[in-house]
Amino acid sequence: MTQAYPRLTGPAVAQASVKLTGLQSGRAVAAIMVVVFHANAYLLPATLYDGVSAGQVFNFGYAGVEFFFVLSGFIMLLVHRQDFGKPAKALIFIRKRILRIYPIYWVVMCALIVLYLLVPDTSPDHMRDPVALLASLALWPMPDGPMMQVAWTLQHEMAFYLVFALILLNQTVGGAIFLVWMAACVLALPAHGTTGYPLDFLLKPHNILFLLGLVAALAHRHFSPAAARAAFWGGTAAFLGLGLSETVFDLALMQALLTLGYGIAAATIIIGLAQGNLPAPAWLSFLGDASYAVYLVHLPAMKILAVGLQYIGAPEFLSPLIMLIVITLAVTGIGAAVHVFIEKPLIRALAGRRRTGHAA
């Protein structure tokens, strides 16, 4: 992601650094939210504490995904705004997105397949279907979903990238396709969850979050630093307020509206992070860099970790809240290690190979 930013000099370097650090910090928080959600809503009650979790308040952590989607739209427009209508840029864009998404995903998928073969009881029902396996590896949406549970978000990301590449290829045609897609998603909101495959994928409310990210990218430059900071705190309050209303106060809202509500709040947070010159600790920015690896490995990592915790009897002397903290820290650390020792070397190797190929 850092390589996608244009080269800057002078005062612009510090400004771009603050912007990137802020956005990466937001990415880190979103990834940790998803880890907390899965650990609290599923692992603790189903595996470690017989129906008991650390508290309902942690169960809106799934909305970290909404933040990711909005941020993806924001970054794509921020980086590639000058590339619209330039066909030569479309292939470069797709190649970079493929190299960013697939290699580490395939590494984790292969490890997951080995785990499923060793422990068949943990594998999904369609594990031995070669078509489903190939579709999962390709991130092609299927009725039964991907074999890696969290990969459904990557399927939507790739769909967005393909449409975005069309905009780079031909701004008029690609833009029209994107707007028609967004309009169809909006019109399908009342029918969310009832349309069946493939419409439930193509018209999923989460797709609208990419549009919110694009709007935020267009709007953020019109905010002064003070206004952007106000947007950040207002968006954070709205995001948390919606989460508490949903989990603690049992607010009864259609899931599609919750998705859009979190998305709008995320868009305002991102405007604040991008334009508000907000300070962010280096360790949080690092976790933002590692967030994709954390996201990919956190479910299998926490399931394996739970086996060890059960073996030593940890649920007998750790409360659910302390256990949630332990699991979150451990899984985040594992994801960070995967980022440092596998993902980064893999990206460097592939980037170097691509440059060598061009030179030849």
Side-chain angles (χ1 to χ4, degrees):
M1 183 168 142
T2 53
Q3 295 86 345
Y5 279 85
R7 187 178 298 278
L8 301 172
T9 59
V13 172
Q15 184 178 0
S17 178
V18 170
K19 178 182 293 187
L20 181 58
T21 300
L23 293 174
Q24 288 298 80
S25 297
R27 192 190 297 273
V29 172
I32 293 170
M33 285 177 61
V34 175
V35 173
V36 169
F37 166 69
H38 281 135
N40 186 68
Y42 298 104
L43 190 71
L44 264 63
T47 305
L48 297 174
Y49 289 102
D50 193 20
V52 177
S53 72
Q56 287 291 107
V57 68
F58 298 108
N59 285 349
F60 72 93
Y62 73 88
V65 167
E66 274 77 343
F67 185 93
F68 278 130
F69 276 44
V70 178
L71 182 60
S72 182
F74 181 93
I75 292 294
M76 290 305 104
L77 185 56
L78 184 70
V79 173
H80 297 285
R81 189 175 184 180
Q82 304 302 319
D83 297 337
F84 285 0
K86 298 180 180 179
K89 297 290 186 179
L91 184 59
I92 296 172
F93 169 79
I94 285 296
R95 183 170 62 239
K96 286 183 176 179
R97 292 296 89 203
I98 288 174
L99 289 176
R100 180 68 185 91
I101 295 294
Y102 280 95
I104 185 62
Y105 168 70
W106 283 334
V107 169
V108 178
M109 262 294 293
C110 288
L112 197 61
I113 290 170
V114 171
L115 179 63
Y116 286 157
L117 292 175
L118 293 175
V119 191
D121 291 343
T122 65
S123 65
D125 294 338
H126 55 308
M127 165 65 194
R128 290 171 178 78
D129 180 354
V131 174
L133 177 59
L134 290 174
S136 288
L137 290 170
L139 291 175
W140 184 264
M142 295 287 283
D144 293 328
M147 291 184 183
M148 185 188 297
Q149 290 173 289
V150 299
W152 71 269
T153 62
L154 305 182
Q155 293 173 337
H156 286 276
E157 288 279 356
M158 290 308 301
F160 170 61
Y161 293 155
L162 288 174
V163 176
F164 195 86
L166 292 178
I167 301 175
L168 301 182
L169 191 65
N170 186 301
Q171 186 172 355
T172 302
V173 174
I177 291 173
F178 178 73
L179 290 177
V180 168
W181 182 29
M182 293 297 102
C185 290
V186 171
L187 292 174
L189 284 174
H192 170 55
T194 64
T195 52
Y197 175 84
L199 290 180
D200 56 355
F201 172 81
L202 294 172
L203 304 180
K204 194 176 182 68
H206 286 77
N207 295 320
I208 303 172
L209 302 178
F210 297 122
L211 175 61
L212 294 178
L214 299 182
V215 171
L218 291 173
H220 84 283
R221 295 181 182 180
H222 301 288
F223 282 69
S224 68
R229 287 191 291 271
F232 171 81
W233 291 114
T236 300
F239 199 99
L240 293 176
L242 190 57
L244 293 175
S245 297
E246 176 191 2
T247 57
V248 177
F249 302 110
D250 294 323
L251 176 68
L253 275 180
M254 187 170 67
Q255 187 59 49
L257 295 181
L258 283 170
T259 296
L260 295 184
Y262 284 123
I264 293 170
T268 57
I269 293 172
I270 289 167
I271 287 173
L273 292 173
Q275 201 70 6
N277 296 327
L278 295 165
W283 64 268
L284 200 56
S285 180
F286 163 74
L287 288 180
D289 293 339
S291 60
Y292 183 42
V294 172
Y295 183 72
L296 288 178
V297 306
H298 78 276
L299 278 180
M302 69 173 57
K303 289 177 182 177
I304 294 172
L305 184 62
V307 174
L309 290 169
Q310 283 181 308
Y311 180 78
I312 64 173
E316 298 177 10
F317 58 85
L318 293 180
S319 69
L321 178 59
I322 298 300
M323 182 70 81
L324 179 62
I325 295 172
V326 169
I327 290 171
T328 300
L329 290 175
V331 169
T332 302
I334 292 169
V338 170
H339 167 67
V340 171
F341 297 110
I342 299 177
E343 183 183 24
K344 286 181 68 175
L346 188 59
I347 290 173
R348 282 197 298 266
L350 292 171
R353 183 176 181 180
R354 189 170 73 248
R355 284 195 296 269
T356 301
H358 287 330

